[in-house]
Amino acid sequence: MRADRLVSLVLLLRQRGRLTADTLARELEVSTRTVLRDIEALSAAGVPVYAERGRHGGFALSPGFRTELTGLNHEEALALLAAGSGRGEQVFGLGSALASAMRKVVDALPESHRATASDAAQRFLVDPEADLLSRRLVAEEVPGTTMIEVRRAVLAGHKLRIRYAATGEPPQWRTVDPIGLVTVRDRGYLLATKSGEDRTYRLSRVLAAEELPEAAQRPNRVDLDRIWRERSAQFLSGGDHIAVLVRVNPARREDLLNTALAVRAEEPDADADGWLRLEVTFQDARHAQWALWQLGMDGEALAPQSLRTVLHDRAAAVAARYGDLPRGVGGE
């Protein structure tokens, strides 16, 4: 909305000082022509914005001008700034809204606290793009126009028509009743029902979406946390999923958890000093074989026996291949 953009423009000038029209256009994601029209509208409304000509010129506000946004104390503002320091801009297509909100948070603080809160927020980093092993955490992308339609239908309580590409199937159009949106480890999901049946759609597989005028068939109040737990449990108990009992070196625990679908139980292993015993779920037997093989000597599948047999046979085949070293190899 234009009103929100005008507020963001004023806050940008307050917090950064003089800015060119091109810089303002990039920050607000509009054209330079739109910025110039907005500047004129602000001037007509009595906001003391003026232009400075020359090589280092731009637009600025008269010294001392501020908007009156109140209600946030220092700790509340710091919490919001810290939350906004991660990759939250990728959640549900709300990047522009988050940037605008952060500007308002900073501007709402008293002058004496503004710099302190901004500096303190720089000491927090939430969900960086890579972990300590330099493994990049790639967030799934959803086209902005698609995400807007999905979000509108969820919030308005309207039916939603989506073109969805399920795994191994050609994309198809389907009409659903949206319940809510969930994000887990940078993956977004749409919780919905279709013809009264529970459905969970991965947002990255929604190729197109259209909000319909008809009201969605859904309860007025919803507990997304409970629904997500129920659907997760249903997902883990269905299909070809396999539960595996594993003994693992604590140093490789995170590697195991990064490959498993879920952890059902965890406790110290009484038979191995310092090791852990976990019951984890994998997508299928092939997935379990691959994950346990990656652990090498730092992990052992205790059950089921079929998995132990496959890993044993694979290890025996590898040992047989490398059993007899060529003459002159290995220090002989």
Side-chain angles (χ1 to χ4, degrees), residues 41-42 98 119 139 141 148 163 269 274 277 279:
L42 289 172
L98 178 62
D119 291 343
E141 296 185 359
I148 289 174
R163 187 166 184 263
D269 183 51
R277 182 175 293 216
E279 183 180 353

Side-chain angles (χ1 to χ4, degrees), residues 27-105:
E27 290 288 340
L28 299 173
E29 299 180 356
V30 297
S31 67
T32 303
R33 185 184 297 271
T34 297
V35 168
L36 296 177
R37 285 200 299 264
D38 287 348
I39 293 291
E40 291 181 2
L42 289 172
S43 296
V47 177
V49 56
Y50 63 93
E52 291 187 357
R53 309 294 180 183
R55 181 180 178 183
H56 300 291
F59 295 99
L61 293 170
S62 296
F65 175 80
R66 66 166 290 123
T67 53
E68 295 300 329
L69 298 176
T70 60
L72 287 175
N73 62 35
H74 181 269
E75 293 299 317
E76 291 169 340
L78 178 57
L80 289 174
L81 288 170
S85 68
R87 290 184 289 153
E89 70 275 5
Q90 299 175 0
V91 177
F92 307 139
L94 294 172
S96 297
L98 178 62
S100 176
M102 290 302 102
R103 287 192 288 269
K104 293 177 182 177
V105 168

Side-chain angles (χ1 to χ4, degrees), residues 1-318:
M1 295 177 62
R2 190 186 186 197
D4 291 334
R5 190 174 69 243
L6 292 176
V7 171
S8 292
L9 194 158
V10 172
L11 295 178
L12 280 170
L13 294 177
R14 268 194 45 75
Q15 293 162 21
R16 294 212 215 156
R18 186 187 307 112
L19 294 173
T20 65
D22 289 341
T23 300
L24 288 168
R26 286 195 302 271
E27 290 288 340
L28 299 173
E29 299 180 356
V30 297
S31 67
T32 303
R33 185 184 297 271
T34 297
V35 168
L36 296 177
R37 285 200 299 264
D38 287 348
I39 293 291
E40 291 181 2
L42 289 172
S43 296
V47 177
V49 56
Y50 63 93
E52 291 187 357
R53 309 294 180 183
R55 181 180 178 183
H56 300 291
F59 295 99
L61 293 170
S62 296
F65 175 80
R66 66 166 290 123
T67 53
E68 295 300 329
L69 298 176
T70 60
L72 287 175
N73 62 35
H74 181 269
E75 293 299 317
E76 291 169 340
L78 178 57
L80 289 174
L81 288 170
S85 68
R87 290 184 289 153
E89 70 275 5
Q90 299 175 0
V91 177
F92 307 139
L94 294 172
S96 297
L98 178 62
S100 176
M102 290 302 102
R103 287 192 288 269
K104 293 177 182 177
V105 168
V106 172
D107 199 77
L109 294 174
E111 187 72 32
S112 59
H113 291 168
R114 193 175 304 139
T116 302
S118 296
D119 291 343
Q122 295 176 13
R123 303 295 177 179
F124 302 146
L125 178 60
V126 181
D127 287 337
E129 293 186 357
D131 62 16
L132 285 176
L133 299 179
S134 297
R135 295 172 298 190
R136 294 188 63 82
L137 307 176
V138 181
E140 297 182 336
E141 296 185 359
V142 183
T145 54
T146 299
M147 193 64 250
I148 289 174
E149 289 293 310
V150 173
R151 194 170 66 238
R152 284 176 177 170
V154 169
L155 297 179
H158 290 168
K159 287 184 178 293
L160 179 67
R161 187 166 177 259
I162 59 174
R163 187 166 184 263
Y164 191 73
T167 303
E169 299 179 11
Q172 295 182 358
W173 284 98
R174 57 196 75 188
T175 299
V176 302
D177 295 298
I179 296 174
L181 295 168
V182 176
T183 179
V184 181
R185 295 181 180 177
D186 288 327
R187 291 182 178 179
Y189 298 89
L190 168 67
L191 305 187
T193 60
K194 184 176 184 295
S195 301
E197 298 293 328
D198 291 343
R199 293 289 186 271
T200 301
Y201 300 102
R202 194 134 145 207
L203 289 176
S204 62
R205 294 176 182 163
V206 178
L207 305 182
E210 178 187 1
E211 178 191 4
L212 302 178
E214 297 92 341
Q217 300 298 311
R218 67 180 192 180
N220 293 328
R221 299 184 65 84
V222 64
D223 184 347
L224 281 183
D225 188 56
R226 176 185 59 79
I227 294 175
W228 181 254
R229 289 198 306 269
E230 292 174 351
R231 295 197 180 184
S232 295
Q234 183 179 11
F235 173 78
L236 292 175
S237 63
D240 297 325
H241 297 165
I242 179 174
V244 178
L245 185 61
V246 182
R247 178 189 293 135
V248 64
N249 185 329
R252 301 295 301 279
R253 176 182 179 275
E254 291 302 317
D255 293 334
L256 174 63
L257 298 189
N258 286 339
T259 58
L261 289 179
V263 178
R264 295 179 176 271
E266 179 177 355
E267 62 182 4
D269 183 51
D271 299 328
D273 186 27
W275 280 38
L276 301 172
R277 182 175 293 216
L278 294 87
E279 183 180 353
V280 296
T281 301
F282 291 102
Q283 185 73 38
D284 50 33
R286 186 174 180 179
H287 180 201
Q289 295 164 19
W290 174 86
L292 269 296
W293 187 259
Q294 305 309 307
L295 295 178
M297 296 300 293
D298 289 322
E300 178 186 0
L302 302 177
Q305 182 59 44
S306 58
L307 177 60
R308 287 180 60 86
T309 299
V310 169
L311 292 173
H312 173 275
D313 293 346
R314 185 175 182 179
V318 172

